[in-house]
Amino acid sequence: MRVLFVCSGNICRSPTAEAMFRALIEERGLSGEIEVDSAGTGSWHVGSPPDERSARAARARGIELSGRARQVEPSDFERFDVLVAMDASHAAELQALAPAEMAAKVRLLREFDPEAVAAGDTDVPDPYYGGPDGFEHVLDVVEAGTRGLMEEVGGTR
């Protein structure tokens, strides 16, 4: 199974989801079975490390963000089994980029969180222009979404 998390610039939300999902993969002993990466719909942060505010908030919870931002490429639809968008605008951009036969690979992260679905709130908010509380909130909603995704793709080992 190969999973790609996608946000706008690949420096806040998607690297957070990638790192949290990677921690779940390791926790469940699935390192050889599930591959994970992240990317952005835009190119403005390509090559940049994760946002320091995201990294600091994640580190406080024992999660290490790593890697360098990259932009989604058409080949990602071939390479990954599921492309997990952080919000509806990312999903729409991915749908527009996807070959028709691969559009079903695009999902929203919070679709995997039953409470978010029940509340009708399936977007991971962008913390970039806000304060520290926004990064903490993103960690909470990303954790719920990645746990739900793990239940769907990786089981409960």
Side-chain angles (χ1 to χ4, degrees):
M1 170 63 72
R2 295 172 311 261
V3 179
L4 180 67
F5 293 100
V6 179
C7 70
S8 300
N10 191 213
I11 60 168
C12 293
R13 294 173 284 178
S14 58
T16 297
E18 175 188 357
M20 284 195 148
F21 198 61
R22 190 177 310 281
L24 289 172
I25 290 167
E26 291 173 15
E27 177 183 296
R28 301 208 180 174
L30 299 171
S31 294
E33 298 176 40
I34 302 174
E35 176 186 332
V36 62
D37 195 5
S38 62
T41 57
S43 64
W44 50 92
H45 292 294
V46 168
S48 297
D51 183 283
E52 181 52 38
R53 298 165 298 171
S54 287
R56 185 176 29 245
R59 197 174 306 113
R61 295 188 190 197
I63 303 291
E64 286 296 322
L65 305 191
S66 62
R68 298 278 174 183
R70 73 175 187 87
Q71 188 172 13
V72 172
E73 302 171 354
S75 62
D76 288 330
F77 289 93
E78 291 287 338
R79 184 172 166 216
F80 292 94
D81 299 302
V82 61
L83 288 83
V84 183
M86 296 298 110
D87 67 30
S89 70
H90 305 130
E93 288 184 61
L94 289 170
Q95 292 283 350
L97 184 61
E101 68 277 9
M102 295 184 184
K105 290 184 172 191
V106 177
R107 305 280 300 273
L108 285 167
L109 177 62
R110 294 194 77 196
E111 285 179 30
F112 300 100
D113 176 357
E115 289 182 23
V117 172
D121 184 12
T122 54
D123 283 350
V124 176
D126 188 351
Y128 189 76
Y129 295 105
D133 290 349
F135 293 93
E136 293 297 329
H137 180 64
V138 164
L139 283 162
D140 293 340
V141 299
V142 166
E143 182 177 5
T146 55
R147 287 191 180 282
L149 174 61
M150 178 56 75
E151 297 307 314
E152 186 162 314
V153 303
T156 57
R157 292 186 203 180

